[in-house]
Amino acid sequence: MRIYDFIRGKKEGETNHPEDIKRFVRGYVEGKVADYQMSAWLMAVCFNGLGDEELAAYTEALIDSGERFDLSGIRCIKIDKHSTGGVGDKVSVALAPLVAACGVTVPMVSGRGLGHTGGTLDKLASIPGFRTDLSTEEFKQNLANAGVAMMGQSVRMCPADGAIYCLRDVTCTVESIPLIAASISAKKIAEDAQGLVLDVKVGDGAFMKNERDAEGLARKIISVTKRFDLRTKAVLSDMSQPLGKAVGNALEVEEAVLCLKGEGPPDLRELVLTLAARMLSLAGRKQGDARKETEDALDSGKGLNKFIEMVRLQGGNPAVVEDYKLLPRAEFKIPVTAEKEGVFQKIDTYKIGMLAVELGAGRRRKEDSIDPAVGFKINKKIGDEVEKGEPLAYVYANDETLGQRIARELKGCFETGDEAVLPPPLIIKKISP
Ligand code: URA
């Protein structure tokens, strides 16, 4: 295969041979294909897409570049969940222990924040002592003991995806449905789960801005994972406003714990229960029974107890559940007040995510460190009434000057008007194979 011809083929809308795709990815990992050649092919894929056979071959190449977990020694059914990322999305922190409390094993390999979206790994890392760098053996041991373990992707899992992802990040080739589908699917297949529930976020605060693209991504992932015996169901959920109130790592952990205590915001509870029920239905429960079982596990405190067990097993301090002051706390709490009365019309969720990054809750560059304490609490949802002078949000900052500036910019993210507005539906669509 001549690399030049391979790239030209994709550029001109031809189909690449599956074996050539595998050779190309292998060549990239081995240093025989240059960054500029991979970048050119990725850009051609952005314009011309990948057919089903091409997508399967590319996914397989990403998987084969590294190690695969073998969880066959764990006899319980293993179901994972993946979110495409949003603002204030702390679902996994509550969901994984909740589902484990219902007797389903949850092997969760999570990522760090990406762009304007937060990452589960960063949220968990805000719990004092909590280790996300488990070895494969520790991961398996914790799954066997507690039925749940949450860790970061090891460099040995899908290394081709890691390298290509960095390239996509700087060559404007992230936003491609087949490339995203392969990247997510490869990691989940390598993790050796038997079922996957996908939460595809839709809206201004998500990577998929409209329902058509979100559904396209969900269907691609469902079809490619099926080829590798991973059963996937998807939920499209709203990201036109932050989920819950908290945005920022320790603040989000606190909110996830509140959810497990039955005290969290209603939208977070609803999404956690919806996804949990889908995970249980993949594990074989009937749909109605699955919902009831997850509600019971939440309301009885079984989910919270499982969270405590998981935190303890991963070296964290479980007392954070009772005393939130043990989590990192910001020095300054700055209110953002309403200028006039009216109805909350619209929220610039993407900008809120970017402001959180600027405040220190996320990274601008891969090597940046984050401040786990900082973030926002957004008190209002679209459709809520607002009184003049009422606090719409709070900024939690460790640098007062920065916090004040961010507070002024945050005010500009909220649009208040006179017209009544219906809140957007949280669950947009459920998609099954
Ligand atoms: N998340 C991933 O893991 N990969 C992508 O390509 C995009 C989001």
Side-chain angles (χ1 to χ4, degrees):
M1 162 184 97
R2 257 181 34 127
I3 292 173
Y4 185 92
D5 293 334
F6 174 81
I7 299 169
R8 186 191 48 74
K10 187 42 62 189
K11 180 184 147 203
E12 291 180 1
E14 292 167 12
T15 302
N16 287 141
H17 194 285
E19 287 309 316
D20 288 344
I21 293 179
K22 290 184 200 165
R23 252 180 249 129
F24 183 64
V25 173
R26 213 178 306 126
Y28 181 63
V29 174
E30 289 166 359
K32 295 177 191 152
V33 169
D35 277 351
Y36 52 81
Q37 291 171 314
M38 179 55 85
S39 306
W41 183 76
L42 292 168
M43 188 58 86
V45 171
C46 284
F47 288 117
N48 290 325
L50 292 176
D52 289 349
E53 298 304 322
E54 292 175 302
L55 180 60
Y58 178 58
T59 307
E60 194 172 329
L62 297 181
I63 300 166
D64 288 347
S65 69
E67 85 176 9
R68 287 177 80 151
F69 282 173
D70 175 7
L71 301 182
S72 56
I74 296 160
R75 297 234 301 285
C76 280
I77 187 149
K78 295 156 285 263
I79 312 285
D80 191 8
K81 168 259 179 187
H82 180 86
S83 157
T84 55
V87 179
D89 182 4
K90 68 284 290 174
V91 164
S92 292
V93 179
L95 177 73
L98 179 67
V99 172
C102 297
V104 173
T105 299
V106 185
M108 198 173 271
V109 177
S110 302
R112 304 199 309 176
L114 193 65
H116 67 286
T117 67
T120 300
L121 217 54
D122 296 325
K123 299 175 214 270
L124 290 170
S126 72
I127 301 171
F130 192 94
R131 285 183 51 222
T132 54
D133 60 343
L134 301 179
S135 67
T136 310
E137 272 323 302
E138 287 171 317
F139 187 67
K140 285 189 195 172
Q141 197 61 52
N142 289 7
L143 286 176
N145 290 337
V148 59
M150 300 176 83
M151 67 180 279
Q153 188 189 339
S154 98
V155 285
R156 293 193 301 278
M157 187 186 274
C158 301
D161 177 65
I164 292 171
Y165 196 89
C166 290
L167 206 54
R168 288 170 58 206
D169 211 12
V170 291
T171 56
C172 194
T173 50
V174 171
E175 272 135 10
S176 148
I177 288 179
L179 295 180
I180 297 176
S183 166
I184 292 173
S185 304
K187 287 175 284 206
K188 296 295 154 185
I189 295 160
E191 186 188 289
D192 201 22
Q194 291 157 297
L196 172 68
V197 171
L198 196 61
D199 179 13
V200 184
K201 302 285 187 199
V202 191
D204 161 55
F207 287 113
M208 297 292 124
K209 305 291 179 203
N210 60 61
E211 192 179 322
R212 196 183 55 117
D213 286 350
E215 183 162 349
L217 176 63
R219 293 204 181 277
K220 276 265 180 269
I221 295 179
I222 287 172
S223 87
V224 74
T225 50
K226 189 163 172 237
R227 287 175 174 247
F228 295 87
D229 291 329
L230 173 60
R231 289 191 59 225
T232 302
K233 289 185 174 189
V235 171
L236 308 191
S237 72
D238 179 57
M239 193 30 74
S240 62
Q241 55 186 338
L243 183 68
K245 291 181 168 191
V247 178
N249 298 291
L251 294 168
E252 291 193 43
V253 167
E254 183 179 330
E255 195 166 87
V257 170
L258 281 171
C259 174
L260 286 170
K261 289 180 174 175
E263 298 162 14
D267 58 343
L268 176 61
R269 177 184 166 95
E270 181 52 35
L271 188 54
V272 167
L273 288 173
T274 301
L275 295 169
R278 294 230 100 194
M279 291 171 79
L280 261 60
S281 89
L282 269 178
R285 314 288 211 280
K286 287 204 200 99
Q287 195 69 51
D289 296 348
R291 173 74 188 210
K292 170 99 180 52
E293 195 176 339
T294 52
E295 272 174 9
D296 288 349
L298 191 90
D299 295 333
S300 65
K302 270 168 67 184
L304 180 69
N305 288 339
K306 189 55 83 178
F307 176 80
I308 292 170
E309 187 183 352
M310 175 184 81
V311 170
R312 186 175 292 122
L313 276 176
Q314 296 199 211
N317 182 358
V320 293
V321 163
E322 293 308 330
D323 184 359
Y324 302 127
K325 288 198 286 303
L326 294 172
L327 288 165
R329 309 285 277 188
E331 209 177 319
F332 304 99
K333 180 179 170 187
I334 304 160
V336 176
T337 51
E339 296 289 337
K340 54 174 188 176
E341 63 168 37
V343 176
F344 231 41
Q345 309 276 321
K346 207 167 157 234
I347 301 184
D348 188 342
T349 309
Y350 172 78
K351 176 116 189 259
I352 291 179
M354 290 312 287
L355 289 175
V357 171
E358 224 179 311
L359 195 60
R363 297 176 189 79
R364 270 180 273 217
R365 289 172 314 162
K366 229 171 47 189
E367 55 280 8
D368 286 351
S369 59
I370 60 169
D371 183 343
V374 302
F376 310 130
K377 275 195 192 161
I378 317 281
N379 296 333
K380 295 286 174 184
K381 296 271 164 196
I382 294 171
D384 282 357
E385 289 190 1
V386 170
E387 297 292 327
K388 186 174 177 199
E390 197 185 355
L392 300 175
Y394 290 101
V395 174
Y396 293 78
N398 275 324
D399 173 333
E400 196 176 8
T401 314
L402 176 66
Q404 294 287 3
R405 179 171 68 73
I406 298 282
R408 281 193 296 278
E409 291 201 39
L410 190 60
K411 196 178 261 191
C413 295
F414 306 128
E415 201 179 301
T416 310
D418 296 330
E419 281 165 38
V421 186
L422 281 179
L426 175 66
I427 308 297
I428 297 166
K429 200 175 231 178
K430 294 178 184 171
I431 304 173
S432 294

